[in-house]
């Protein structure tokens, strides 16, 4: 293939095509938002409403455990906005220079709860009952990468129950997997957020509201590659706006 007097190899041709596609994507106003699993439904609603207000901008939503999202960004994933379920993960993102420090803002709060299958006959009213022989499997997010798991292990450690319960714990990849295990009756109980329990109220019931050693706050930030991206700024502003906060409240989140 020739363009003027320049010969293009197959590799050159493919590079040109990729470049054009990326350029088109940029002008199309696409932004990628990576959000913690517990934000799944709420963030979908936020994104859809934002697109209605900003028709030229399309939001690509990526949900996973906060620690997993951090790893994706650190390995070069093309993310514009990062919403974590804990301050610690966002702090790590800041330390690694993966986000714009000035853009980090808290936007929601949540509550840790212990849930059981809605038809469970093993009624629990206090954490100490988890040591009963009738309770054999407890779903807990992996505390190394899943904030809700970290909160749960902290609470159990404070209650001096973690050593006795560690063998019963089923480590999950994210809070929604913990919720699914309980909803399907594959775990007798599980630690999730109140908002997750609310989303599956027909399948699980809240047995205990669990106190945590620190508030459960969700921060949002623009990634380093999107520091000056107008569309990413607009999305963050919408999330923090009265309309964005009202959407989050419908799903059980509270203001930070």
């Amino acid at each position: 293939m020739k363009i003027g007097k320049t010969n293009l190899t197959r590799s050159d041709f493919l590079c040109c095509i990729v470049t054009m596609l990326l350029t088109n994507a940029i002008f199309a106003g696409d932004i990628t938002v990576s959000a913690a699993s517990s934000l799944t439904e709420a963030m979908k609603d936020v994104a859809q409403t934002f697109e209605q207000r900003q028709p030229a901008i399309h939001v690509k939503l990526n949900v996973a455990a906060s620690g997993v999202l951090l790893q994706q960004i650190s390995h070069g994933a093309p993310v514009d906005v990062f919403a974590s379920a804990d301050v610690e993960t966002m702090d790590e993102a800041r330390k690694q220079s993966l986000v714009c420090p000035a853009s980090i803002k808290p936007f929601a709060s949540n509550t840790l709860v212990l849930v059981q299958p809605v038809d469970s006959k093993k009624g629990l009213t206090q954490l100490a009952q988890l040591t009963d022989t009738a309770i054999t499997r407890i779903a807990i997010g992996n505390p190394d990468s899943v904030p809700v798991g970290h909160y749960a292990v902290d609470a159990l450690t404070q209650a001096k129950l973690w050593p006795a319960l560690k063998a019963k714990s089923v480590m999950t990849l994210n809070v929604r997997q913990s919720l699914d295990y309980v909803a399907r009756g594959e775990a007798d109980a599980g630690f999730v957020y109140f908002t997750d329990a609310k989303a599956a109220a027909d399948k699980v019931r809240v047995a205990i509201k669990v106190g945590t050693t620190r508030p459960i706050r969700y921060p949002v930030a623009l990634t380093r590659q999107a520091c000056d991206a107008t569309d990413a700024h607009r999305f963050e502003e919408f999330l923090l706006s009265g309309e964005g906060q009202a959407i989050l409240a419908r799903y059980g989140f509270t203001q930070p």
Side-chain angles (χ1 to χ4, degrees):
M1 176 180 178
K2 290 186 178 182
I3 298 180
K5 296 181 180 179
T6 303
N7 292 325
L8 288 180
T9 65
R10 178 180 175 81
S11 177
D12 292 332
F13 178 73
L14 291 175
C15 285
C16 288
I17 294 298
V18 171
T19 300
M20 286 189 291
L21 290 174
L22 290 174
T23 301
N24 287 338
I26 291 171
F27 284 115
D30 285 357
I31 61 171
T32 298
V33 177
S34 284
S37 297
S38 53
L39 289 162
T40 300
E41 291 85 9
M43 199 60 85
K44 284 180 180 177
D45 200 342
V46 169
Q48 289 172 358
T49 306
F50 174 76
E51 289 177 342
Q52 291 171 5
R53 304 291 180 267
Q54 301 283 345
I57 306 173
H58 173 63
V59 179
K60 296 178 180 178
L61 189 59
N62 172 45
V63 294
S66 297
V68 172
L69 297 175
L70 176 64
Q71 290 178 15
Q72 291 174 356
I73 297 170
S74 68
H75 285 88
V79 177
D80 301 292
V81 181
F82 175 39
S84 170
D86 67 335
V87 172
E88 288 76 12
T89 301
M90 187 62 75
D91 282 345
E92 185 59 32
R94 178 183 52 78
K95 289 175 185 176
Q96 294 183 34
S97 298
L98 299 175
V99 295
C100 308
S103 72
I104 300 175
K105 296 179 176 65
F107 70 94
S109 293
N110 216 330
T111 303
L112 180 67
V113 297
L114 182 75
V115 293
Q116 294 184 266
V118 70
D119 57 353
S120 175
K121 302 299 190 293
K122 304 168 185 176
L124 297 173
T125 57
Q126 53 186 345
L127 292 178
Q129 291 176 290
L130 290 172
T131 61
D132 293 351
T133 55
I135 305 298
T136 59
R137 289 167 61 86
I138 305 166
I140 298 180
N142 185 335
D144 293 333
S145 59
V146 185
V148 72
H150 193 67
Y151 291 124
V153 171
D154 272 1
L156 293 174
T157 300
Q158 285 289 315
K160 297 181 170 54
L161 294 170
W162 180 236
L165 297 177
K166 193 170 184 179
K168 294 184 178 185
S169 300
V170 180
M171 295 296 172
T172 64
L173 298 175
N174 55 61
V175 68
R176 287 309 174 91
Q177 188 174 47
S178 294
L179 183 69
D180 287 343
Y181 281 177
V182 177
R184 296 197 300 261
E186 296 173 8
D188 300 305
F191 288 91
V192 301
Y193 296 118
F194 170 75
T195 52
D196 299 297
K198 180 179 172 67
D202 58 331
K203 298 177 181 177
V204 304
R205 59 182 171 83
V206 175
I208 304 171
K209 287 188 177 181
V210 183
T212 55
T213 57
R214 59 193 185 283
I216 299 176
R217 291 198 176 98
Y218 290 60
V220 63
L222 305 186
T223 62
R224 181 61 63 182
Q225 71 178 33
C227 283
D228 299 318
T230 302
D231 292 346
H233 274 281
R234 286 175 177 168
F235 182 84
E236 183 181 51
E237 289 171 356
F238 179 77
L239 183 64
L240 296 166
S241 71
E243 188 172 11
Q245 291 293 299
I247 294 172
L248 292 170
R250 288 204 298 267
Y251 291 88
F253 291 94
T254 56
Q255 292 192 349

